[in-house]
Amino acid sequence: MVGNTTVDPLAWASVVTKPEINSVRNPSTGHVLDVPRLIRAFRYERAILLRQKLKALVKRGEARLVCATCGVPVYLACSTTKRFFFRHRHEDGSCPAVTRMELSEADIRAMKYRGAQESAAHKRIKELLLRSLAADPRFKDVAPEQTWKASEGLSGLRRPDVSARADSTRLAFEVQLSTTFMDVVLSRKEFYRLERAALVWVLPFFHPSYRRMTDDDILFGNNSNVFVVDESTAAASEAAGTFIMTCWYRKPVIQGDKIVDEWVERMVRWDEITVDVDRQIIVVFDYAEEATRRREELRASRLERIAAAEAAARQALEDQENELREQVLRFVVDASCENDYLPRYKTWLVLNDRLRSVGYGLDGEYPDLQTATRIVHLIESARAGKPVGFRYKSFAELGHHLIHQHPELLLAFGHMLRRFGTRDALYSDDRTGKLRAKLDAIRSELTQDPKYRMAEDEERLCAFLSMGTSRKARPDNDNRDLNGREAA
Ligand SMILES: [Zn+2]
């Protein structure tokens, strides 16, 4: 077990230090892709699946990627330290990138030695599997090394380690060894898929932190579930009279704001296992579906957090505006004649700067305090239904004053009277009916003549301080004009 590198399935895939093939081309689009960038864009589990897919496509003669230098189809390979690179499908010396190597004698000796060691383990697992299946009466035709001929119209021949039948499902069990190459995994999968049978890979041993390349090929190709048969599962099968294996699977859990894996190891009965013959996927736990659900949950809670933060920010802004509005209104209303003008003007400049910072201040280097004062008095008069701050006794007098001295304030005044419900106070003071006559005469010009229009900054300030009541109400609200008649 020396020198094994095991990668977190959710970690980003890494590339070998100096990939011989540095760029690959997609022959259908002509796009050239940088190899390190391409590889690092995948999570490790995805890279393993991509590797299987590219291999299968190359074998079918449908290369999705070719060497950008020579145009030979390439597939994704993985080093012993689980770093990825591209390899030519064949090499004839015409490409400067050399990706295939002759095996040294030492390599071959080591492989033979490992092979001999493994064949003993292989035999042992096969026997344990036979014992386990024989213990369960639901399994029929349990047999070792039986030749499996392809059905009519299909070609090929396989000899699964153990074959059996459970109900209507035909099963082929293969013991996975470190010498099981990806090609073998893929071609057997395809063979049994066409046979409408299920291929079950059985491992002699598994541990998530010690995974060989072939373990990863089977694990990720099988929705992150692997099965182990050993002495203890065989004993459990015999004791229970039902086929039992150990299943290892990944379980996605949310930790903070991301998804991490938990590994689960437990003994499972055959009836806990779901067999999907079309996809050749045999699982106890649907990792992919669970991961999708967890990602949705994360997304939802992220959106919730964003919405809450936005609401809090809106509330903070509203609080700040309310406080500023109160301060400006009090500053004007509470002023007395004894206040010195200069310090008062300085305070106003500070307030106006704050108003400007939220978009409602008066423009210019010397914003007029009198204008601001008039606006506040207008608002307070409309609210009170009597003159506030203006030196008039009756509300009607204030109306005459506005018509002659400040026609630009008439529209805002009218809107506020309506919204504050103080319009009647204006006419109850108008004993002679003169005010009503004047207003009747100018009504048609109110929205046309520029003299009835406030300067933009003054209008904005007035709307801010009156909380929008100085503006025409939206159509769904009260829509009557200054004289209390329904608008046309
Ligand atoms: Zn090449």
Side-chain angles (χ1 to χ4, degrees):
M1 291 198 181
V2 175
N4 174 274
T5 306
T6 294
V7 179
D8 179 349
L10 293 174
W12 295 106
S14 52
V15 63
V16 296
T17 322
K18 265 191 166 179
E20 280 284 343
I21 297 177
N22 222 310
S23 48
V24 291
R25 185 159 40 86
N26 179 332
S28 56
T29 64
H31 287 150
V32 172
L33 307 161
D34 179 67
V35 165
R37 271 238 299 277
L38 175 67
I39 289 172
R40 289 189 197 120
F42 288 92
R43 303 225 183 239
Y44 178 76
E45 59 171 344
R46 294 276 157 196
I48 294 287
L49 293 178
L50 175 70
R51 181 169 153 271
Q52 296 179 5
K53 192 172 171 203
L54 287 179
K55 184 88 188 204
L57 287 167
V58 167
K59 287 184 91 167
R60 269 194 267 149
E62 298 172 25
R64 290 290 162 85
L65 295 172
V66 299
C67 171
T69 312
C70 68
V72 166
V74 293
Y75 50 83
L76 195 57
C78 194
S79 77
T80 50
T81 54
K82 309 281 168 74
R83 290 166 173 267
F84 295 87
F85 60 99
F86 282 98
R87 190 173 264 165
H88 289 118
R89 187 188 185 184
H90 53 79
E91 227 154 48
D92 58 9
S94 59
C95 184
V98 178
T99 57
R100 309 190 72 93
M101 251 179 290
E102 293 296 322
L103 290 173
S104 72
E105 262 184 61
D107 289 335
I108 292 169
R109 255 202 319 276
M111 281 173 75
K112 277 184 179 163
Y113 172 71
R114 205 167 55 203
Q117 259 193 331
E118 286 208 323
S119 67
H122 188 189
K123 209 171 147 212
R124 203 179 63 244
I125 304 306
K126 214 158 50 181
E127 274 156 15
L128 292 171
L129 190 56
L130 285 168
R131 261 173 59 195
S132 308
L133 290 167
D136 191 330
R138 284 172 306 174
F139 288 87
K140 314 281 187 221
D141 308 334
V142 178
E145 308 282 354
Q146 195 129 82
T147 301
W148 188 315
K149 272 205 202 89
S151 314
E152 232 173 300
L154 301 167
S155 66
L157 198 77
R158 291 289 184 283
R159 188 169 294 135
D161 289 330
V162 173
S163 50
R165 194 163 48 77
D167 301 322
S168 58
T169 312
R170 292 174 75 198
L171 302 161
F173 291 89
E174 293 278 12
V175 179
Q176 181 262 20
L177 304 164
S178 71
T179 46
T180 308
F181 291 112
M182 185 175 65
D183 282 29
V184 175
V185 174
L186 293 177
S187 66
R188 287 194 191 162
K189 222 174 171 171
E190 186 57 12
F191 177 84
Y192 292 111
R193 190 181 68 81
L194 293 173
E195 285 294 302
R196 312 301 302 151
L199 168 60
V200 185
W201 284 100
V202 173
L203 279 62
F205 164 86
F206 180 82
H207 195 275
S209 58
Y210 180 86
R211 304 192 317 264
R212 296 164 303 178
M213 204 58 225
T214 48
D215 295 338
D216 281 352
D217 277 329
I218 289 171
L219 175 72
F220 299 124
N222 191 45
N223 197 0
S224 292
N225 285 236
V226 287
F227 297 97
V228 172
V229 167
D230 56 20
E231 205 53 68
S232 66
T233 62
S237 298
E238 284 172 334
T242 183
F243 178 38
I244 289 174
M245 294 187 284
T246 291
C247 182
W248 277 93
Y249 59 83
R250 288 162 68 201
K251 187 179 168 194
V253 292
I254 293 175
Q255 204 173 79
D257 60 353
K258 62 176 193 168
I259 295 172
V260 296
D261 283 338
E262 259 175 17
W263 285 93
V264 178
E265 176 198 18
R266 65 184 178 90
M267 280 200 188
V268 294
R269 294 184 318 275
W270 178 254
D271 39 299
E272 292 176 69
I273 294 172
T274 307
V275 174
D276 180 342
V277 169
D278 283 325
R279 291 159 65 219
Q280 286 293 310
I281 286 179
I282 289 116
V283 298
V284 166
F285 179 77
D286 191 337
Y287 176 83
E289 191 188 277
E290 190 70 6
T292 304
R293 202 174 302 143
R294 295 281 163 266
R295 273 194 296 274
E296 281 302 316
E297 272 173 39
L298 269 188
R299 215 176 70 89
S301 72
R302 220 170 273 151
L303 290 178
E304 248 170 53
R305 275 204 305 279
I306 291 171
E310 281 173 353
R314 265 199 308 276
Q315 188 59 50
L317 181 67
E318 210 181 300
D319 291 348
Q320 190 195 343
E321 288 187 357
N322 285 340
E323 192 234 316
L324 180 59
R325 178 182 298 115
E326 277 309 304
Q327 222 176 339
V328 174
L329 293 176
R330 265 202 323 274
F331 170 74
V332 172
V333 173
D334 297 349
S336 74
C337 315
E338 288 103 60
N339 290 136
D340 282 337
Y341 183 73
L342 206 59
R344 191 169 155 68
Y345 188 71
K346 278 185 180 158
T347 307
W348 158 242
L349 284 184
V350 172
L351 280 175
N352 191 57
D353 276 347
R354 288 188 56 202
L355 283 165
R356 270 187 200 171
S357 72
V358 282
Y360 304 114
L362 292 184
D363 297 337
E365 203 176 338
Y366 304 104
D368 189 19
L369 174 55
Q370 247 186 311
T371 302
T373 302
R374 195 178 303 118
I375 287 171
V376 171
H377 286 157
L378 187 78
I379 294 166
E380 294 308 323
S381 300
R383 202 195 311 272
K386 62 179 188 189
V388 174
F390 293 99
R391 272 162 294 175
Y392 295 102
K393 284 225 169 55
S394 81
F395 214 21
E397 278 177 304
L398 174 58
H400 287 290
H401 168 72
L402 292 178
I403 290 170
H404 296 293
Q405 305 299 320
H406 293 288
E408 79 279 6
L409 298 179
L410 274 176
L411 269 174
F413 190 54
H415 291 314
M416 289 192 287
L417 290 181
R418 211 173 308 133
R419 299 279 286 276
F420 290 137
T422 51
R423 194 184 47 230
D424 292 345
L426 191 65
Y427 297 116
S428 59
D429 273 4
D430 182 29
R431 300 224 170 82
T432 59
K434 274 186 186 164
L435 182 64
R436 188 182 286 272
K438 274 188 199 170
L439 287 171
D440 279 346
I442 61 173
R443 192 179 319 106
S444 62
E445 295 157 30
L446 272 175
T447 53
Q448 311 293 325
D449 196 327
K451 77 173 177 180
Y452 297 114
R453 207 170 298 153
M454 289 171 91
E456 267 181 48
D457 57 340
E458 295 169 22
E459 197 280 333
R460 272 200 306 267
L461 176 64
C462 184
F464 171 69
L465 294 176
S466 69
M467 296 186 76
T469 55
S470 63
R471 286 180 176 164
K472 189 172 160 61
R474 279 193 297 263
D476 53 319
N477 293 334
D478 189 354
N479 198 25
R480 281 165 295 182
D481 69 9
L482 190 64
N483 292 338
R485 298 171 195 170
E486 294 293 326

